[in-house]
Amino acid sequence: MADEKDRQEIIVAEFHKKIKEAFEVFDHESNNTVDVREIGTIIRSLGCCPTEGELHDLIAEVEEEEPTGYIRFEKFLPVMTEMLLERRYRPIPEDVLLRAFEVLDSAKRGFLTKDELIKYMTEEGAPHSEMAALENLPRKGPLGKTM
């Protein structure tokens, strides 16, 4: 029984460390706060993939009663710890993503063109504007490296 409790405490301590490290990347003022717009990036960097609606609910849960545009670490930590412990918002398994990609890649080339991606993002499923679709595509920097 004590071994299980010790193991759980170790897991929680490891989660706390990972959460703190991810949070600190965006805590530009070093005051234990981050811009609310960065919360989705932080959560996803920790391996959770909530939908936009779920993300909105999570932000509402950790935001101050009078929203300031910033999230405090002490409010974020327990919510994020619980998410990790419960394994909520796990990413879609790779084999499922591959099957979905294969449906879109009807020519079996192993890639989609920029135009195909824009078409799928603007005409299929939840609609995006062309500008929003372009924002989600990787950008090429100097020497052709993806940024």
Side-chain angles (χ1 to χ4, degrees):
M1 188 87 150
D3 287 340
E4 179 64 28
K5 184 179 179 194
D6 290 344
R7 201 178 65 124
Q8 185 73 7
E9 288 175 2
I10 291 169
I11 291 170
V12 169
E14 289 174 2
F15 283 159
H16 283 186
K17 183 179 181 222
K18 288 179 181 179
I19 294 166
K20 180 72 171 164
E21 289 171 353
F23 197 90
E24 285 176 342
V25 169
F26 296 95
D27 183 5
H28 304 296
E29 303 294 322
S30 298
N31 62 358
N32 284 326
T33 64
V34 296
D35 188 304
V36 69
R37 295 171 293 188
E38 304 291 2
I39 290 296
T41 303
I42 295 169
I43 290 171
R44 289 181 183 102
S45 78
L46 291 164
C48 296
C49 299
T51 65
E52 287 301 312
E54 292 165 335
L55 182 59
H56 180 76
D57 293 343
L58 290 165
I59 289 170
E61 188 175 342
V62 297
E63 234 174 357
E64 299 297 321
E65 286 186 33
E66 291 292 320
T68 62
Y70 291 89
I71 302 297
R72 292 183 305 121
F73 179 72
E74 54 269 17
K75 289 195 82 169
F76 180 72
L77 180 65
V79 172
M80 191 68 223
T81 301
E82 183 180 328
M83 267 194 285
L84 292 173
L85 286 171
E86 293 177 356
R87 300 176 150 258
R88 278 193 278 164
Y89 312 119
R90 303 310 305 161
I92 296 171
E94 193 173 310
D95 62 316
V96 173
L97 289 175
L98 182 59
R99 285 196 310 268
F101 173 80
E102 288 170 346
V103 168
L104 298 177
D105 181 24
S106 57
K108 307 289 186 233
R109 296 174 301 194
F111 65 91
L112 298 174
T113 67
K114 177 180 168 183
D115 290 338
E116 289 170 322
L117 278 173
I118 291 171
K119 177 182 177 280
Y120 290 132
M121 292 178 78
T122 58
E123 296 176 13
E124 306 289 331
H128 290 74
S129 68
E130 185 169 341
M131 183 171 284
L134 287 170
E135 287 174 5
N136 287 314
L137 295 178
R139 294 175 208 42
K140 296 285 183 182
L143 305 176
K145 293 186 178 180
T146 302
M147 298 172 48

